[in-house]
Amino acid sequence: MHSSADSAQRPPQKTLAHGLRARLLPLVSSSKAAALVRVHSGSHDAPIAYPGLAHFLEHLLFLGSRNYSAAEGLMPFVQGCGGQLNASTRERHTDFFFQLPASQFEEGLHRLVDMLAHPLLDPEAQLREREVLHAEYLARAQDAETLCDAALGCAIDPPHPFGGFHAGNRSTLPVEDPGFQASLRGYHCRFYHTGQIELLLAGPQDEGVLQRLAEQMDAGLAAHPYVSRKTLPLCANANAWFRLQLSNAQPRLHLAFALDQLPERAGPALDYLSVWLASEAPGGLSQRLREAELCQSVKLRTPYWCAGQGVAVIELLLTERGLDDRAAVVDAVLDWIAFFSDDARWQPCREEYQLIRERSLQNAEPLARLRYWVEPQAWGLDSDEAEIRQALRSLTAQMLAAPPLVLTTDMSDCPPIETCGFPLRLKTEPPQRTAPAAWHWQQPAMNPWLKPNIARREAVDITPALRWQGPEDMSGQGALFLRWQWVHGQSSTALWHAVAHALQPAAWAAQQAGVTLRFEDFGSAWCFRLEGFAEAIPAILSDTISVLSVPPAEAFAEGVALANRDAALGNDEMLIRQLLKHLPRRLTNAAEVDGQPAFIGPGSLSRRWQSAQWSGLAVGFAPSLGGPLADAIYSLPGTPAVIPTDHSKPAAVKRWHDVRGDGATAETGFLLFCPLPDRTAKCEASWRLLARVIEADFFRRLRSELQLGYALFSRFCQFGEQAGMLFAVQSPRASAKEILEHVVKFLDDSAVKLADQADSEAERAARQAGNQHVDSRADFRAQAEQAWQCLQAGHELDRSAEVAAEMRMLQQQDLMAAMDALRGDDASWVAVANAPAPDLSWR
């Protein structure tokens, strides 16, 4: 069995012949491979005259290179393989990363090195991409966290670049100017070479193969030495209090610490501190502040961190009382930091922290591991604990030496201020004072799920409502899925929010123990999932059933508030993500029986559970875990039942859900979900393949050519029992009606393109997709997810193999038939948008 200690071994770094630094991580049991490139230059290294140039170049690298056109490059290639890909420009580094089936890894790396070394930087493509980047700027100008960081930058003493504008927009990127073009190419030449780049590779290939692939990357890049850059002192306006006006956002308090001249191990020391700051453990900071009705959650984030300096922000989601008494919150946080920095906390907390990190790495996907190990000084088994302890002393001493910057964000009226970047409504405030409270902090209780103490035994009798799928997973993973179906209609979203809110501490503790806990609302059903370290799952389920059945009384009032906030659409989260949370509930025709009640309580939930029938699936568990799991299952609310699935065809209607609520936003969000027209394996296979074939074209047409917006995608997906095609667009300039017209036009044009393509091309894509659909079953989480989707849709557990077999045999006419069904007048479409329906053809 793969141990957590193996996962915590830091992959050694080696310097290759031309200067590229590489870390190689062979993962024998994985079906996927991943690559991450870190270029040691970022937005703070761009010419001052052209804010956003580094970010702009990151975008441009995906738009074609010497050996691969934009249509053949890394992004469409990874999308066509069903993989994932992204890039990120930070202050002092830029990351490019992807994950895909291991069989396609080398082809992906060829594209990656070519786009890094030989980008086309075509002027026409630059003009189009500038509009995409400007759309991203407009979206970020609505984002609460972005505006908060911009406001904090106003308190940092110049000339440190943290206070500057680096995202870029239409006005800062004069593509037509020869001087800008010279700077763009000069920046690429200065930083995109072996001396400035780290490469991390992970996959099932042996180390020799990964070494060969790394050497190919090393040889394909220009060879130059490392370019050192000067770091300016980081100083802040001490004891400054600010207020930032944000519409439709929950009140938050941000305590910002400007840190400089930190020791080398300050990175893992800060990560260690952040784990305990955000801890939901009994007796911890978050729970004590919640009990005092001052705040709902605490987290630490670092908008800037480089070369021994950084800005660390402790963010607290405030209650009304906390908003009125912010000085008490500030005092409590600083008092807790002083308590936690005491040497008496170190030993017990350090041991638990190590277990948490080991567990998080144990079953992480290849890309997640690379993103962990790329961080300098990330904790590993070889870390020098004494140096981290000393760094923690230095870190907390700086945090306590001077008052933090205090930023309140809420809907209070503030005047607009002049900025060269994001628009801010900001004002200074006199610092509040409060009498220090005696908090009497205690050591947080240890997470019991990190070392579950269970008596293993096989199950004697398990209800048929819970399906078991074996064999035991040899890496120690398990997955448990439970679904409650409401016998009478649909549940109240307020009740779901109440239960979900009450489950937050359990979700936090489960994540530490290597288990992902998710609780989902599908309108006519609720779904509870536990996936990860199998040995912990019976204990987690047993301990959370009481919260599911009878949440604390205060959770019900919070449920109503959260449901109302959910309906209003706010600025706390990206618009398209908010709509995606609404979509699953809108796919059912059942009416919401409770509406949005002004009051809910234990009686409301008890009646819901009495009318609920549950079914589930357990995947990958050892037989000796069957007994503890069966004991926990026995106590579930509701009635176990093998629930028949509705096999009727979706109604041939077009439904539109306007979810604007009371919220107002400058952008338009639009989702279009098209459910499968029938339940056959061939229909599912052809739609899955069609989704993969058109995904890259959809992205390129709407994002690059039409420049509708920054955030958009299309893919095949399943919500509860409903599978189908999803199109999603967030746009700063197009209306929902215009977006719909563009989607329809894209589908019409795609049908023409399909008709003109060679039969052999469709057959090749079908074989590749079918093979990958089967290969993905070697990945435990993909296997478990496929099995659960099959059961929810009313299929047998061998459905995915049947779909893969059908996929391999698909031909050109099958793809065209799928496209016709998707576009037909009798197709069932469900739209969700923050806008009214465009005409009366929509219900």
Side-chain angles (χ1 to χ4, degrees), residues 484-490 524 608-613 639 643:
W484 286 269
Q485 192 80 36
W486 308 117
V487 176
H488 304 297
Q490 185 169 348
S524 60
R608 286 282 85 206
W609 286 131
Q610 288 170 15
S611 72
Q613 294 181 333
T639 305
I643 302 168

Side-chain angles (χ1 to χ4, degrees), residues 3 92 95 123 144 269 284 323 348 378 388 431 466 517 581 620 772 797 806 837:
S3 74
R92 288 288 188 173
D95 290 347
L323 184 61
I388 295 176
L466 182 70
L517 185 158
K581 290 178 180 177
Q772 289 171 2
L797 291 174
E806 290 285 357

Side-chain angles (χ1 to χ4, degrees), residues 280 286 290 295-299 315-318 504:
E280 296 277 354
S286 184
R290 196 179 297 121
C295 90
Q296 295 170 339
S297 64
V298 183
K299 70 176 182 180
E315 181 181 307
L316 304 104
L317 185 61
L318 295 176
Q504 282 182 356

Side-chain angles (χ1 to χ4, degrees), residues 710-782:
Y710 165 68
L712 54 88
F713 64 85
S714 70
R715 64 178 63 127
F716 186 93
C717 53
Q718 183 170 330
F719 300 98
E721 62 195 50
Q722 299 210 44
M725 199 94 74
L726 176 64
F727 302 91
V729 180
Q730 179 174 326
S731 176
R733 62 180 184 83
S735 67
K737 179 177 184 292
E738 290 167 336
I739 295 170
L740 172 64
E741 290 170 350
H742 285 303
V743 172
V744 171
K745 178 68 163 60
F746 167 78
L747 293 175
D748 291 343
D749 292 346
S750 297
V752 175
K753 181 179 178 181
L754 275 177
D756 290 341
Q757 102 177 351
D759 292 351
S760 58
E761 193 172 335
E763 291 166 9
R764 178 193 57 77
R767 284 193 302 273
Q768 183 186 69
N771 291 337
Q772 289 171 2
H773 198 63
V774 169
D775 290 345
S776 67
R777 292 180 63 79
D779 175 76
F780 176 80
R781 293 214 174 191

Side-chain angles (χ1 to χ4, degrees), residues 25 27 30-35 83-84 98-106 109 201-205 210 213 366-367 370:
L25 190 56
L27 300 172
S30 178
S31 66
K32 300 174 183 175
Q84 56 179 299
F98 68 85
Q99 178 173 284
L100 42 55
S103 59
Q104 307 295 316
F105 192 38
E106 188 164 358
L109 289 174
L201 303 179
Q205 298 86 349
L210 294 178
L213 296 175
L367 182 55
L370 297 188

Side-chain angles (χ1 to χ4, degrees), residues 376-404:
Q377 304 299 331
W379 178 86
L381 289 177
D382 62 342
S383 293
D384 188 315
E385 300 295 334
E387 290 188 6
I388 295 176
R389 174 70 191 103
Q390 186 55 46
L392 181 67
R393 288 194 189 101
S394 176
L395 177 69
T396 54
Q398 276 204 42
M399 295 176 81
L400 296 170

